[in-house]
Amino acid sequence: MTSACRCLALAVALIVLATGCAAKTNPTASAGSEPPPPVVEVLPNGLTLVVQEHRAADIVAVHLWVATGVRYENPNGLGYAHFQEHMLFKGTDTFGPGYIDRAIEGTGGRSNAFTTYDYTTFQILVPSDAIKTAIGLLDDMAFRSKFDPKEIDAEREVIFEETRIQTDNPQTAIVREAYSAVFGDHPYGRPLLGTPETMKAATQKDLQVFNHKYYTPENMTLVVVGPVQAKAVRAVVDQTFGRRPRTGYTPPPNPSLKPIKEIVRVKVDRPEQQAYLVLAWQAPPLADPDSAALDLAATILGGSESSRLALTLRDTERLVSRVNMNNASQKLSGIVYIQTRLEAGDVDKVEKRILEEIARLQKDGPTEEERELAVTKAESDHATAYETSDGVAGAYGITMVQASLDNELTYLNRLKSITRAQIQAAAQKYLSTTAYAWIGFLPRRAQ
Amino acid sequence: MIRRTLGLVALLSLLAPALAGAEMAGVTRSKLPNGMTVIVRENPAAPIVAYSLLVKMGTRNETEDIAGISNMLQLMLVRGTEKMSGEQIAATADRLGGSIDAYGDYDYSEITATALSRNWQAMLEMVADVALRPTIPDGTVTAVRDFVVRQIRNRGEKPFDVASDQTSIALFGPRHPYAWDPTGRSEAVQKLNRDALVAYYRRRYLPSQMVLAVSGDVKSAEVMPQAQRLFGAMAAGQADSPTVPAPPPMASTREVFKVPGAQAQIFMAALAPAFTHPDYPALKVMSAILGGGMASRFFSELRDKQALAYSTAALYPARLDTSGFVAILGTGPDNLVKAEAALKDQLRRIQTEPASEQEVAVARSYVVGTLAMDRRTNARQAWYLAAAELAGLSPEYFDVYAANVKKVSAADVMRVAKQYLGVVRTVIVQPN
């Protein structure tokens, strides 16, 4: 199903991606002509429209980014951001359930949606001549959804199944545990899919209230990327989103965050034979200047095939079968974590070895070759994202919700100017060897 | 691509031959003296470059006793050259901000690579190194062979793959090269050794059988001379054309195979023409009406309304020689009888009742849109350019094809349905 990934596993993946895809074509590295800059407009009703001309293919990406997500939920309404997102595909005043998926697929296109802590996004990718259809559908979904109680009951089961799939997968489940260990009572520590109690209690009215409160023009960014002209896009948007009234929505104050002061250990018994170990820390927000330096530190330590942890723990010492490291930025605070798959008997040894490798990076910093390779990897990820209109729309959307367009447009150049000393300093500042979250998934039989 | 549509009007002939030096906006084509073709598409959208080196070599060039040799050879190319070990190849690709890989397919085999465009020259040299100076080391041959044999064994355990393989055998006959998957036949792959691979490499890697297509943020004027330097030194050679046997004439057959698993698979198949045939666009639209995504009849009627399918699709792969149309339905074993009858009925209806204009319009958009989506990346653009060239078609071929799809009518659909779906072969795979 095209829209099947209104799901958590992908939401997690997208959080991870947030760090990877940032920035803009570097003028000095590009052999070709510079693409025109994005056009940013704020409509009279407060909606932000970002249009980027991108002529690589006859395909247009239309993304709606709404600055609401799990962290805006009421404590007794956990899971409603995501539930509400699902329901937008289940029928509007104009269209019946299933129509949206069919209409988009009928053009050869795809639709998708994700809910995370900071944002909810609805993404449509279609041949350029279907741009009006795509914008019209998104407008209808956002403002005219029906929330039919029958469809709500059916979709609740779909989400419970999604929860089971997520829980069954140790690699996604352990990252969820890491968020809750690192952020504690802060809304970033909440389950993305809610709790069985809140989900069962959700009524048509609850979901409508959430929708009406947060799905307002002031709280939205529409990103359109493809072989399009800003003026023509604006005309279509004026006839759809542009007609929706401003509601006077103002975002709630940001909840405060307590730092981790010690080693927080969370041990979970699991049915798998292999063990999983995650070490995690709070990380700077996406807009923080340190974020890019920590991106490079994470790549060098554990984020590539030839990273330090891959070469030592995986290839030489054979203590882990897999290792990776991510710096997942968010608006208020990111999370940086090392994830390994290993034998249960090696858990203590691996923790010790990871801490030693962190200490070594903190003491000596990276080599010049490591810095260059990490920058190359970031450039390559960035170029791959910017190759397609949907990749660009994704990068713009995330930065609009979590930082600013400028943050994204300057990312690669900032990254390239980061020195070895700055990478070392980021490792010292953020990767404490005495205060972190430790999450172990251990096989039941081994204990 | 917007720039390119202007050229379309003049090029509506379906089989427009590749013209030496023919150029569409941003695309340059050059034939080297030794017969190899190089195509460069300038695409400044992102600082990235993709290479597709296609060789006219695939299962189509194989016989039963060497079934799988093309794919196996491709896997060996990236595992060591005279200059670099397999590990060095992977590490160098990382340093260039990209990747390199190779695999075999039915008609063509591909070496595919990407890099940051500022490293275009180093990656081009690595592509040439892999293609022209592979060592095919003995020890690695054994490891790769074991890996492929495991892959083939795994296919035998999956109901869908078994149904697919048995349908190919039923449709083309057991000795026809389209009867086996590009991974090959286990008996044949087990016998492949270094000598056999080297001999096959020498026979097939001939300049006249190779096309290098480059797409990305590069300048054709810079890439062309380097490609000429790297590949121009290859000696020209005479390629033998494969003698592909004719598939047996269509007949109504029904075979049942038992494979453990929860689902039963029903495949109904008929021979259908090569992708260069004038009926291809109409058959693609027909295929989309029946089983192209969620708007299709199989999906909405068999899955949604009648609840007779977990999964369903219609496939019609693009091939150089006569291909096949396949209707697919995955269902619970209890529903098998009903589902088979319902699928058959769908194939009958498309021949006897004209589809509505609306339905045909949606299917046309689906076919054109799916193609456009697949051509979004430089890697796929490069593949399409190289594939058209190897088939003797112009670089605009797939744009012309899209224009032809847009002209398909309900009458065209009914005509090709009658012509090609009158008789079908059925393959059923069910649990014990």
Side-chain angles (χ1 to χ4, degrees):
Chain A
M1 275 203 26
T2 339
S3 50
C5 3
R6 313 196 243 284
C7 68
L8 205 28
L10 282 171
V12 174
L14 207 72
I15 294 172
V16 172
L17 272 178
T19 47
C21 28
K24 181 180 146 95
T25 315
N26 167 28
T28 55
S30 169
S33 54
E34 264 301 274
V39 176
V40 184
E41 295 175 274
V42 178
L43 272 57
N45 65 3
L47 179 120
T48 305
L49 174 64
V50 182
V51 181
Q52 172 71 64
E53 202 177 316
H54 188 280
R55 298 201 173 269
D58 204 9
I59 295 281
V60 62
V62 184
H63 287 193
L64 173 64
W65 293 76
V66 189
T68 188
V70 177
R71 80 169 159 96
Y72 296 86
E73 290 166 349
N74 287 325
N76 58 357
L78 296 182
Y80 292 5
H82 173 251
F83 201 169
Q84 192 265 170
E85 172 232 295
H86 269 237
M87 292 314 299
L88 298 202
F89 287 87
K90 295 293 155 188
T92 72
D93 290 347
T94 324
F95 311 117
Y99 176 86
I100 291 152
D101 291 330
R102 280 162 203 251
I104 293 162
E105 220 197 281
T107 68
R110 292 177 206 158
S111 62
N112 225 326
F114 309 92
T115 302
T116 72
Y117 293 99
D118 290 327
Y119 60 82
T120 308
T121 175
F122 302 82
Q123 314 189 337
I124 293 181
L125 188 63
V126 283
S128 317
D129 55 7
I131 183 172
K132 272 190 188 172
T133 307
I135 293 174
L137 284 173
L138 284 174
D139 171 57
D140 216 62
M141 289 164 68
F143 296 103
R144 307 290 296 268
S145 278
K146 268 197 142 129
F147 300 97
D148 178 344
K150 254 188 12 210
E151 296 289 337
I152 288 177
D153 287 341
E155 207 56 24
R156 185 184 284 114
E157 297 307 313
V158 172
I159 295 172
F160 283 149
E161 179 60 23
E162 198 178 322
T163 314
R164 278 191 288 276
I165 290 169
Q166 207 227 328
T167 314
D168 285 350
N169 181 339
Q171 297 182 68
T172 51
I174 199 166
V175 173
R176 301 306 336 137
E177 290 288 348
Y179 271 78
S180 112
V182 161
F183 295 112
D185 295 338
H186 188 274
Y188 280 164
R190 289 172 175 173
L192 279 173
L193 301 190
T195 68
E197 295 73 35
T198 55
M199 287 294 292
K200 276 180 198 151
T203 62
Q204 179 187 40
K205 180 133 190 271
D206 291 333
L207 299 179
Q208 272 171 337
V209 165
F210 190 94
N211 175 260
H212 292 158
K213 178 165 180 191
Y214 295 107
Y215 283 62
T216 76
E218 304 99 299
N219 206 28
M220 289 176 175
T221 302
L222 189 68
V223 184
V224 181
V225 183
V228 294
Q229 286 182 327
K231 255 192 189 161
V233 174
R234 172 67 192 263
V236 178
V237 174
D238 279 340
Q239 293 304 308
T240 50
F241 283 92
R243 295 186 164 183
R244 306 298 174 188
R246 184 187 274 278
T247 67
Y249 169 78
T250 47
N254 293 330
S256 63
L257 178 65
K258 284 183 227 135
I260 306 179
K261 293 243 167 79
E262 56 189 1
I263 304 172
V264 180
R265 291 189 190 270
V266 180
K267 195 158 94 178
V268 181
D269 289 350
R270 293 283 300 191
E272 293 86 20
Q273 308 228 342
Q274 281 232 290
Y276 295 81
L277 174 67
V278 164
L279 302 190
W281 299 260
Q282 289 175 6
L286 184 60
D288 190 304
D290 282 351
S291 185
L294 189 59
D295 283 348
L296 292 178
T299 302
I300 291 164
L301 194 57
S304 80
E305 274 306 291
S306 51
S307 70
R308 288 186 177 191
L309 292 174
L311 294 182
T312 55
L313 266 63
R314 189 191 64 191
D315 298 347
T316 309
E317 298 158 41
R318 294 182 182 269
L319 283 170
V320 299
S321 57
R322 274 192 200 171
V323 59
N324 69 299
M325 185 166 185
N326 281 308
N327 178 30
S329 298
Q330 300 184 102
K331 182 158 186 174
L332 307 178
S333 164
I335 178 171
V336 55
Y337 59 90
I338 296 165
Q339 185 172 13
T340 63
R341 194 160 92 182
L342 69 175
E343 295 303 321
D346 291 330
V347 166
D348 293 344
K349 200 168 177 186
V350 166
E351 181 188 5
K352 183 168 158 280
R353 286 289 295 114
I354 290 173
L355 296 176
E356 284 170 5
E357 287 300 328
I358 292 172
R360 187 160 73 89
L361 184 63
Q362 290 172 337
K363 183 166 165 285
D364 304 328
T367 66
E368 179 56 18
E369 200 190 351
E370 284 176 320
R371 187 197 64 82
E372 279 174 18
L373 196 57
V375 171
T376 299
K377 184 176 183 296
E379 284 183 280
S380 174
D381 291 348
H382 173 264
T384 305
Y386 274 62
E387 191 181 8
T388 58
S389 51
D390 40 322
V392 176
Y396 282 2
I398 284 172
T399 202
M400 289 298 289
V401 181
Q402 297 190 332
S404 66
L405 193 56
D406 198 49
N407 191 75
E408 166 70 12
L409 298 180
T410 59
Y411 177 78
L412 263 198
N413 282 334
R414 282 189 286 126
L415 197 84
K416 285 179 194 165
S417 70
I418 288 165
T419 63
R420 286 153 61 194
Q422 285 173 304
I423 297 170
Q424 183 179 3
Q428 289 165 352
K429 184 169 172 186
Y430 294 100
L431 304 177
S432 166
T433 54
T434 54
Y436 53 86
W438 177 105
I439 303 97
F441 275 17
L442 301 173
R444 251 169 222 137
R445 290 181 311 157
Q447 295 172 55
Chain B
M1 301 235 303
I2 290 269
R3 324 169 261 183
R4 199 177 306 160
T5 47
L6 287 175
L8 274 185
V9 189
L11 285 156
L12 284 178
S13 152
L14 239 185
L15 295 168
L19 306 164
E23 289 185 18
M24 61 179 173
V27 175
T28 316
R29 178 181 169 281
S30 159
K31 195 150 197 163
L32 311 190
N34 62 10
M36 180 168 157
T37 307
V38 180
I39 302 171
V40 181
R41 172 181 177 262
E42 294 183 3
N43 171 20
I48 202 165
V49 61
Y51 297 92
S52 175
L53 180 67
L54 281 197
V55 184
K56 211 168 185 175
M57 163 186 99
T59 58
R60 187 164 169 272
N61 302 89
E62 296 170 355
T63 48
E64 269 177 294
D65 54 321
I66 53 165
I69 193 169
S70 309
N71 181 58
M72 175 86 184
L73 171 61
Q74 292 296 104
L75 297 182
M76 289 308 303
L77 297 184
V78 287
R79 279 167 174 78
T81 71
E82 289 165 18
K83 289 187 193 162
M84 284 185 285
S85 68
E87 288 78 19
Q88 284 171 321
I89 292 171
T92 306
D94 265 354
R95 257 207 318 283
L96 301 177
S99 64
I100 184 164
D101 207 355
Y103 66 93
D105 207 336
Y106 288 94
D107 297 322
Y108 307 133
S109 294
E110 183 179 33
I111 298 170
T112 170
T114 60
L116 285 167
S117 50
R118 66 163 182 267
N119 297 324
W120 69 266
Q121 187 164 354
M123 184 52 93
L124 178 61
E125 285 183 18
M126 194 150 84
V127 169
D129 195 40
V130 159
L132 305 181
R133 285 172 292 277
T135 44
I136 314 183
D138 246 332
T140 319
V141 169
T142 314
V144 171
R145 193 170 58 205
D146 292 348
F147 168 75
V148 175
V149 168
R150 267 202 308 281
Q151 273 189 322
I152 297 171
R153 196 182 56 213
N154 290 343
R155 280 186 75 79
E157 290 166 1
K158 293 182 203 143
F160 184 93
D161 288 346
V162 171
S164 170
D165 289 349
Q166 292 300 336
T167 302
S168 300
I169 292 171
L171 212 49
F172 297 106
R175 306 181 70 87
H176 188 290
Y178 288 166
W180 53 84
D181 181 82
T183 48
R185 299 170 64 246
S186 189
E187 309 87 275
V189 171
Q190 275 167 13
K191 289 195 201 111
L192 293 177
N193 56 26
R194 182 174 190 278
D195 289 349
L197 290 164
V198 169
Y200 189 71
Y201 169 81
R202 289 197 178 128
R203 264 206 332 277
R204 305 264 37 118
Y205 267 73
L206 300 170
S208 62
Q209 306 297 297
M210 296 162 65
V211 175
L212 173 70
V214 185
S215 176
D217 192 11
V218 291
K219 292 281 177 225
S220 161
E222 290 171 8
V223 176
M224 276 299 181
Q226 294 302 324
Q228 282 159 0
R229 174 179 66 83
L230 290 163
F231 291 96
M234 280 181 87
Q238 197 64 38
D240 50 343
S241 303
T243 44
V244 179
M250 277 304 297
S252 175
T253 55
R254 185 177 185 279
E255 293 172 279
V256 180
F257 300 86
K258 307 269 185 186
V259 176
Q263 258 196 55
Q265 294 289 342
I266 306 169
F267 279 44
M268 289 185 188
L271 291 172
F275 82 94
T276 49
H277 193 279
D279 284 345
Y280 186 78
L283 271 162
K284 277 305 252 196
V285 173
M286 180 203 79
S287 179
I289 291 173
L290 289 174
M294 297 167 87
S296 70
R297 291 183 179 182
F298 291 176
F299 196 93
S300 61
E301 294 185 22
L302 302 181
R303 185 181 175 280
D304 280 2
K305 273 191 208 142
Q306 302 184 44
L308 287 174
Y310 298 135
S311 55
T312 179
L315 304 181
Y316 176 26
R319 297 271 171 81
L320 275 182
D321 290 312
T322 297
S323 179
F325 165 85
V326 191
I328 296 171
L329 197 77
T331 188
D334 296 345
N335 272 333
L336 194 58
V337 176
K338 261 178 148 172
E340 189 181 346
L343 188 61
K344 194 131 209 182
D345 190 54
Q346 287 292 335
L347 298 187
R348 183 196 53 77
R349 223 184 97 202
I350 192 89
Q351 300 172 56
T352 51
E353 298 166 26
S356 73
E357 273 310 321
Q358 163 72 12
E359 219 179 356
V360 177
V362 168
R364 283 192 302 249
S365 302
Y366 179 82
V367 173
V368 173
T370 309
L371 176 71
M373 294 279 286
D374 191 42
R375 294 171 84 197
R376 275 180 304 148
T377 62
N378 284 299
R380 293 301 292 160
Q381 283 282 358
W383 184 90
Y384 276 98
L385 284 169
E389 174 68 31
L390 272 186
L393 307 165
S394 80
E396 297 89 348
Y397 178 77
F398 289 98
D399 297 307
V400 176
Y401 159 69
N404 283 318
V405 168
K406 286 182 182 162
K407 289 188 279 188
V408 171
S409 68
D412 294 332
V413 168
M414 201 152 105
R415 178 183 65 76
V416 293
K418 271 184 187 157
Q419 185 174 342
Y420 296 99
L421 296 188
V423 181
V424 296
R425 297 185 187 272
T426 304
V427 167
I428 293 183
V429 168
Q430 62 183 95
N432 285 316

